[in-house]
Amino acid sequence: MTNESSKKAVLSLDGKQIDLPILSGTLGPDVIDVKDVLTSEYFTFDPGFMATASCESKITFIDGDKGILLHRGYPIDQLAEQANYLEVAYLLLKGELPNSTQKAEFEHLVSTHTMVHDQLRKFFEGFRRDAHPMAVMCGVVGALSAFYHDGLDVSDPKHGEITAIRLIAKIPTLAAMSYKYTSGQPFMYPRNDLNYAENFLYMMFATPADVDYKVNPVLAKAMDRIFILHADHEQNASTSTVRMAGSTGANPYACIAAGIAALWGPAHGGANEAVLKMLDEIGTVENVAAFMEKVKTKEVKLMGFGHRVYKNFDPRAKVMKQTCDEVLAALGINDPQLTLALELERIALSDPYFIERKLYPNVDFYSGIILKAIGIPTSMFTVIFALARTVGWISHWLEMHSAPYKIARPRQLYTGSPQRDFTPEKDRK
Ligand code: ACO
């Protein structure tokens, strides 16, 4: 609940004083409520939303300076250590961790909605076989809206709840299908006897020929941890996209497809794929110094570094690094790319260019190395992120629909041509 503070900001405009209320949340900076500025014929200007809180939310809190990330109040490292992904999903959706009965019911509900309508196969067949799996995901998740549209009332909480379950349950199935399609292997149906991460790995790597296929528990645990670390991150670009699309009353499956599209870019979720490509390009530790020079002359970016919010460290990156060490040790892998990544990190953390700009490894810096160890191809990295983030997106969509909301409609600072008359003989010359 927001509280109006007794403090006020005063804006002086054209000799008039406008009082702007200051609102306080439970944690984080107070916000200046600028809605009233509109009445005085001025808009506020904040490209990239650098200083703008776009909504009120109770789901996730980040303190970027201190490197804190809380889901419903719980620190991410404690959740990653002590909970599994479906518990975190329940927490994000409902506000509290489930007790053992609620946990069992939720797991049952999710595992009995994992199949997708068989007609969805036909959508896959429309893609080129070498299509990027994120392109496929944008299409097939959007296509779910065609299966669940008539009769879906976005203002009915029961409809919202079943939509959330369907999305969380079906997204691993669609993600694995997008891999199987592009690799030319038959789709594997989900297995309800496996847990969330195991089922995903089974659908990815089992084949009808390999009847004895068993999921490696070390890999399933690492996969689950990766899902937790990507589950939500407050009002990032893709979540804001989902909220923005949702604010028009659009079909929620279509809104999630919009989130997937926003996530794909290399400045956001596409960074995990970009990190591995960067490590491939650098090749060996000897080439690191020359690469860093190119970063400093702004020829290239150090992918997996920097964050709009975290200016000290990304708490997810800490857990990810630890998971990376555990997975590589458990599998007995000595990945030279990890050595390369460590060297990049070492130089970056001691170089004034990065220190001055407060650039630290983000969640994507190490996730690629773990995903590679699990056997996930590079083109699927961002799909894994989308899979895990779906619960965050739908939690925000549900939160938005649980109270009155306004259509998201930013203003602009117009710098185009002033009004002029269209004179065909002159203008068509
Ligand atoms: N490598 C080199 N320099 C960088 C990097 C980087 N990765 N990130 C920022 N900088 C520099 C900028 O050039 C700028 O320098 P300047 O002051 O000399 O102009 C300064 O640091 C500030 O950068 P901004 O672009 O203003 O920071 P912003 O908050 O807008 O961008 C972003 C954040 C997009 C994440 C950026 O750091 C980036 O592109 N990082 C690489 C991509 C990446 O890893 N993305 C994943 C983010 S986490 C996630 O989405 C899950």
Side-chain angles (χ1 to χ4, degrees), residues 58-59 71-74 79 86-99 102-103 106:
K58 295 179 173 58
I59 300 174
H71 291 322
R72 304 284 191 183
Y74 295 106
L79 291 171
L86 282 189
E87 286 177 294
V88 174
Y90 186 100
L91 174 71
L92 290 169
L93 284 169
K94 303 200 181 246
E96 294 297 339
L97 283 161
N99 62 29
Q102 290 163 333
K103 181 170 180 275
F106 188 66

Side-chain angles (χ1 to χ4, degrees), residues 117-137:
H117 197 290
D118 231 41
Q119 276 186 354
L120 258 176
R121 281 170 180 272
K122 298 208 167 68
F123 282 84
F124 282 88
E125 283 157 20
F127 288 97
R128 276 174 60 133
R129 66 182 167 74
D130 57 355
H132 193 286
M134 277 300 275
V136 176
M137 288 299 279

Side-chain angles (χ1 to χ4, degrees), residues 111-270:
S111 64
T112 49
H113 280 86
T114 47
M115 294 229 290
V116 293
H117 197 290
D118 231 41
Q119 276 186 354
L120 258 176
R121 281 170 180 272
K122 298 208 167 68
F123 282 84
F124 282 88
E125 283 157 20
F127 288 97
R128 276 174 60 133
R129 66 182 167 74
D130 57 355
H132 193 286
M134 277 300 275
V136 176
M137 288 299 279
C138 287
V140 294
V141 174
L144 283 179
S145 60
F147 290 80
Y148 307 105
H149 186 71
D150 295 341
L152 195 155
D153 176 0
V154 295
S155 65
D156 184 335
K158 283 267 163 261
H159 289 207
E161 210 169 296
I162 189 63
T163 299
I165 297 292
R166 281 193 185 122
L167 275 161
I168 296 164
K170 293 182 200 308
I171 199 90
T173 313
L174 293 173
M177 286 170 86
S178 74
Y179 168 62
K180 288 296 198 192
Y181 181 73
T182 51
S183 63
Q185 292 181 9
F187 297 142
M188 296 300 287
Y189 284 111
R191 269 184 44 193
N192 297 357
D193 60 319
L194 300 176
N195 73 29
Y196 196 79
E198 288 168 347
N199 177 46
F200 173 64
L201 292 177
Y202 168 81
M203 290 187 291
M204 282 286 293
F205 299 121
T207 63
D210 183 3
V211 285
D212 291 328
Y213 178 84
K214 294 266 176 311
V215 179
N216 180 334
V218 174
L219 302 190
K221 189 162 182 296
M223 198 72 251
D224 194 74
R225 175 85 52 96
I226 289 177
F227 290 161
I228 293 175
L229 293 174
H230 288 92
D232 189 44
H233 212 227
E234 54 117 302
Q235 312 309 323
N236 56 82
S238 55
T239 303
S240 297
T241 301
V242 171
R243 279 189 181 257
M244 196 154 192
S247 77
T248 68
N251 179 293
Y253 299 93
C255 296
I256 300 300
I260 294 175
L263 185 76
W264 192 0
H268 192 10

Side-chain angles (χ1 to χ4, degrees), residues 373-391:
I374 294 176
I376 308 275
T378 316
S379 62
M380 281 294 290
F381 288 3
T382 314
V383 173
I384 304 282
F385 193 156
L387 184 173
R389 183 56 60 84
T390 293
V391 69

Side-chain angles (χ1 to χ4, degrees), residues 50 266-269 271 295 298 300-308 311 316 353-354 357 359 362-364 385:
M50 300 284 285
H268 192 10
V295 173
K298 297 193 195 291
V300 288
K301 267 191 173 171
L302 180 55
M303 299 313 287
F305 257 68
H307 199 275
R308 169 59 60 78
K311 301 296 176 194
R316 303 168 300 172
Y353 179 93
F354 296 90
R357 290 169 180 77
L359 299 171
N362 60 49
V363 67
D364 288 328
F385 193 156

